[in-house]
């Protein structure tokens, strides 16, 4: 096959047949929530967004296919063609997927659904590799020394220390031209000894039963973690947070293309001389052709006023594309030294304000498939630190919940909420308001939902 020929039809198969006992659960680990979404939602998103993937097939733990079908419907995963029950083992689950594709001419990428941090780059390289190879393995070098053990008189003993330079840790996806993997499995199931010594992955089936088919290796990623043990859940959560915090800087041309003729409504225009973050966002968006409407954050104390502000912006501009809430930190003092009335007043706008803005913005953003973004300033130590931290946590939690709920409406929800420096991290210099504004606009024009810390 030459590079000039069109790419074959490609199906991403998510193998989600596990239960999650090693994570300590009685329900499938694919449904465990990480970074505000279930693991399988994260994985589905990677394949849905990959331009090389034409179709997605999901093989789910028996008894839980309806749960995944609800996830697919709510998340707008339009590439998913079917959600089928998996088998009692990895090989049986793969075989069910291959039977579902019987009669098709396509390439297949078989991926563990509990590897939600797969990088799009890996998919791209795997699909490209299948143009010239019939089987592809994703793997990374091992940084640990691997030993071969045997049984001794008092337990295990080391028998061999293989050369680490030649060893790789296998990941997924594992990728094949469909006739290759189907023939390998047909030969496997015709072998009476296969069930007694099944390979642990699909490339192992090809290697054993089609030894003349070379398996090409594509470099994987240390981030392509498989969520198997309880600690993996916490590691994956943190990796998602770090990934969300890296907002890709957009080229200047992208600003004009994404903002010209669009409408941006900002709640939280800045104090005093108008040098706040909201004012900086308004200036930057307006400079690139957006119609900008700015209102003070104090407006959020009155839901009707917020509704009227959005209605006015929609009427004058023809519709609302982006709503930005620059959440003001509570001004109250330390807990235990501040009266209940003062605490209630301080937290009202910071915690309820985002809810008010979101509720009023949804009808407008649903109509234009728009973007709601909150910015919450870093809670610096000192008087009122506990209240500011509580307000920040509230905004982050709201963003995560809304991102899942509104995905089916095509509405993106993001939050920029930098973390304060901890005991193991050096304090970073405070970014200028112009830098923060550029980050806000980068997220708006990127078209991606983010909860950045």
């Amino acid at each position: 096959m030459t590079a000039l020929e069109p790419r074959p039809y490609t199906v991403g198969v998510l193998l989600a047949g596990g239960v999650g006992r090693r994570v300590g659960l009685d329900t499938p680990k694919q449904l465990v929530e990480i970074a505000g979404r279930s693991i399988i939602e994260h994985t589905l998103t990677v394949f849905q967004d990959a331009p090389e993937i034409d179709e997605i097939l999901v093989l789910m733990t028996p008894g839980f296919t309806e749960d995944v079908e609800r996830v697919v419907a709510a998340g707008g995963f339009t590439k998913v063609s079917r959600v089928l029950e998996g088998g009692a083992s990895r090989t049986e689950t793969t075989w069910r997927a291959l039977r579902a594709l019987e009669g098709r001419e396509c390439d297949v990428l078989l991926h563990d659904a509990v590897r939600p941090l797969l990088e799009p780059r890996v998919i791209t390289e795997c699909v490209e590799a299948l143009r010239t190879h019939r089987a592809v393995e994703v793997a990374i070098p091992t940084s640990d020394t691997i030993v071969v053990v045997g049984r001794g008189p008092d337990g295990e003993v080391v028998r061999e220390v293989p050369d680490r330079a030649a060893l790789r840790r296998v990941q997924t996806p594992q990728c094949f031209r469909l006739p290759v993997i189907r023939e390998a499995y047909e030969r496997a199931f015709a072998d009476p000894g296969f069930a007694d010594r099944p390979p642990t992955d699909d490339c192992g089936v090809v290697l054993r039963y089609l030894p003349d088919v070379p398996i090409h290796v594509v470099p994987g990623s240390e981030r392509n973690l498989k969520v198997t043990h309880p600690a993996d859940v916490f590691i994956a959560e943190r990796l998602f947070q770090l990934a969300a915090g890296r907002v890709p800087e957009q080229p200047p041309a992208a600003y004009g293309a994404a903002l010209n003729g669009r409408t941006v409504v900002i709640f939280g225009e800045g104090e005093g001389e108008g040098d706040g973050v909201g004012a900086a966002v308004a200036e930057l968006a307006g400079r690139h052709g957006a119609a900008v409407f700015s209102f003070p954050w104090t407006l959020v104390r009155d839901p009707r006023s917020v509704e009227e502000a959005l209605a006015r912006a929609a009427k004058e501009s023809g519709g609302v594309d982006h709503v930005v809430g620059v959440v003001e930190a509570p001004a109250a003092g330390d807990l235990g030294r501040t009266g209940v009335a003062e605490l209630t007043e301080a937290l009202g706008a910071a915690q309820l304000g985002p809810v008010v803005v979101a509720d009023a913005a949804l009808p407008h953003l649903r109509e234009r498939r728009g973007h709601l973004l909150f910015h919450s300033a870093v809670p610096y130590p000192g008087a009122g630190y506990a209240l500011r931290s509580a307000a920040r946590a509230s905004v982050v939690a709201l963003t995560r919940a809304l991102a899942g709920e509104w995905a089916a409406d095509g509405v993106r929800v993001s939050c920029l909420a930098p973390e304060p420096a901890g005991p193991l991290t050096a304090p970073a210099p405070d970014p200028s308001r112009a830098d923060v504004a550029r980050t806000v606009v980068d997220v708006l024009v990127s078209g991606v939902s983010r909860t950045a810390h």
Side-chain angles (χ1 to χ4, degrees), residues 311-450:
R312 173 192 149 196
K315 181 178 180 180
E316 294 184 13
S317 65
V320 175
D321 300 284
H322 305 289
V323 175
V324 177
V326 182
V327 183
E328 292 184 5
D334 294 335
L335 291 175
R337 300 179 183 178
T338 306
V340 173
E342 188 177 356
L343 289 174
T344 302
E345 174 70 14
L347 286 174
Q351 290 192 311
L352 292 180
V355 177
V356 171
V357 170
D359 184 58
L362 178 58
H364 300 279
L365 297 178
R366 183 191 289 128
E367 182 179 344
R368 301 285 280 261
R369 300 182 72 83
H371 198 154
L372 171 66
L373 185 148
F374 292 114
H375 174 270
S376 179
V378 58
Y380 52 90
Y385 178 67
L387 292 182
R388 288 190 292 272
S389 297
R392 173 190 174 281
S394 176
V395 175
V396 170
L398 175 66
T399 300
R400 289 177 171 174
L402 292 181
E405 291 179 13
W406 291 4
D409 293 314
V411 178
R412 302 186 304 280
V413 188
S414 299
C415 178
L416 294 173
E419 285 187 353
L424 300 180
T425 58
D430 290 336
S432 67
R433 288 181 172 86
D435 288 338
V436 175
R438 279 194 295 272
T439 301
V440 169
V441 176
D442 282 341
V443 174
L444 291 181
V445 305
S446 71
V448 177
S449 298
R450 293 184 178 272

Side-chain angles (χ1 to χ4, degrees), residues 15 43 111 191 196 200 203 223 302 315 352 375 384 405 414:
L15 303 172
T43 310
H111 184 66
D191 177 8
D196 298 329
T200 56
C203 281
R223 291 173 49 83
D302 179 17
K315 181 178 180 180
L352 292 180
H375 174 270
E405 291 179 13
S414 299

Side-chain angles (χ1 to χ4, degrees), residues 14 55 63 82 90 98 100 119-120 131 169 177 203 214 228 234 260 345 360 362-363 375 403 409 414:
L14 299 191
E55 180 183 341
R82 281 180 288 180
R90 167 60 180 264
L98 298 178
E119 296 176 3
R131 287 176 174 264
R169 288 157 48 202
R177 296 182 188 176
C203 281
T228 303
F234 297 101
N260 188 33
E345 174 70 14
L362 178 58
H375 174 270
D409 293 314
S414 299

Side-chain angles (χ1 to χ4, degrees), residues 4-326:
L4 297 178
E5 291 178 342
R7 172 181 60 79
Y9 192 85
T10 303
V11 179
V13 178
L14 299 191
L15 303 172
V19 175
R21 293 188 180 91
R22 281 178 286 182
V23 182
L25 301 171
D26 293 327
T27 56
K29 54 191 172 184
Q30 306 86 273
L31 301 178
V32 171
E33 185 174 293
I34 292 178
R37 306 174 78 188
S38 66
I39 290 175
I40 198 166
E41 285 180 83
H42 288 294
T43 310
L44 280 166
T45 298
V46 176
F47 279 80
Q48 175 75 26
D49 293 345
E52 301 86 358
I53 300 299
D54 300 298
E55 180 183 341
I56 302 171
L57 185 65
V58 181
L59 277 293
M60 186 57 185
T61 307
F64 292 91
T65 56
E66 291 185 0
D67 296 80
V68 176
E69 288 170 349
R70 284 192 290 269
V71 167
V72 169
F77 297 111
T78 55
K79 291 183 181 178
V80 176
S81 58
R82 281 180 288 180
V83 179
L84 305 174
E85 286 194 347
S89 65
R90 167 60 180 264
T91 53
E92 185 180 340
T93 298
T94 297
W95 180 239
R96 290 190 180 191
L98 298 178
R99 289 178 60 189
L101 295 172
E102 191 169 354
R104 306 281 293 275
E105 290 294 331
C106 62
D107 290 346
V108 292
L109 275 63
L110 302 168
H111 184 66
D112 295 327
V114 288
R115 292 186 185 270
L117 287 147
L118 175 66
E119 296 176 3
R121 183 266 308 169
V122 176
I123 292 180
T124 300
E125 292 185 11
C126 285
V127 171
E128 186 62 26
L130 282 175
R131 287 176 174 264
T132 53
H133 302 279
R134 292 181 287 166
V136 175
E137 178 99 88
V138 174
I140 59 175
T142 177
S143 57
D144 298 316
T145 297
I146 306 297
V147 299
V148 178
V149 301
R151 186 166 299 281
D154 299 316
E156 292 183 339
V157 295
V158 174
R159 298 295 191 195
E160 182 184 352
V161 182
D163 181 5
R164 189 172 67 187
L167 298 177
R168 298 292 183 269
R169 288 157 48 202
V170 171
Q171 300 180 334
T172 63
Q174 296 187 351
C175 317
F176 310 91
R177 296 182 188 176
L178 184 57
V180 170
I181 187 64
R182 179 182 288 132
E183 181 181 353
Y185 265 88
E186 287 173 348
R187 293 189 180 189
F189 286 120
D191 177 8
F194 177 69
D196 298 329
R197 194 170 60 92
T200 56
D201 66 3
D202 302 304
C203 281
V205 178
V206 173
L207 186 64
R208 184 185 302 178
Y209 293 99
L210 294 176
D212 294 332
V213 175
I215 302 174
H216 179 74
V217 176
V218 163
S221 165
E222 290 285 355
R223 291 173 49 83
N224 191 11
L225 161 81
K226 184 177 182 181
V227 179
T228 303
H229 302 285
D232 297 333
V233 175
F234 297 101
I235 294 170
E237 176 85 34
R238 186 56 180 158
L239 287 173
F240 271 114
Q241 290 178 0
L242 292 172
R246 291 192 293 270
V247 178
E249 185 174 341
Q250 301 295 316
Y255 285 7
L259 293 173
N260 188 33
R262 304 296 174 87
T263 300
V264 180
V265 178
I266 301 169
F267 293 95
E269 56 189 3
E271 298 296 327
E273 299 178 357
D275 59 352
V277 169
V281 173
E283 190 280 329
L284 181 58
R287 186 165 14 115
H288 289 279
V292 180
F293 296 80
S294 296
F295 304 95
W297 184 250
T298 53
L299 202 71
V300 304
R301 297 179 182 277
D302 179 17
R304 182 177 294 276
S305 296
V306 173
E307 292 174 358
E308 291 174 350
L310 287 164
R312 173 192 149 196
K315 181 178 180 180
E316 294 184 13
S317 65
V320 175
D321 300 284
H322 305 289
V323 175
V324 177
V326 182

